[in-house]
Amino acid sequence: MEDFKTFFGKYLGAIVGFIVGLLLAIILLCTNLYKFIIGIALVIVCVYFGNYIQQNKENVKEKTKNFIDKL
């Protein structure tokens, strides 16, 4: 019994994380919510790259030109 308490005390965070992750995965797959999350993630990535390109125009132009010249 003492070994079980030690094991449970040591790995409580992992056990709770597993249960929450499993429930979240079931909810996402059953409700097709993952499509919405992927769409939001895609928008956030595009906003980040658009801002990066705007802030570093000269570097991006130079890198693009060098890449095209290599082809």
Side-chain angles (χ1 to χ4, degrees):
M1 189 66 177
E2 193 65 34
D3 291 335
F4 180 72
K5 287 182 181 179
T6 305
F7 174 81
F8 195 70
K10 188 175 180 181
Y11 296 108
L12 179 64
I15 294 169
V16 171
F18 173 76
I19 292 170
V20 169
L22 188 62
L23 290 174
L24 186 61
I26 290 170
I27 290 170
L28 288 175
L29 291 175
C30 290
T31 61
N32 287 328
L33 190 60
Y34 66 92
K35 292 178 183 177
F36 176 72
I37 292 173
I38 290 173
I40 295 295
L42 184 62
V43 168
I44 291 171
V45 168
C46 290
V47 166
Y48 173 77
F49 281 122
N51 186 39
Y52 176 80
I53 290 171
Q54 182 181 7
Q55 299 297 325
N56 301 304
K57 286 180 189 174
E58 296 303 321
N59 290 339
V60 172
K61 283 181 186 178
E62 189 65 32
K63 289 179 184 178
T64 305
K65 182 181 177 230
N66 291 338
F67 178 74
I68 291 172
D69 289 342
K70 287 181 184 179
L71 292 178

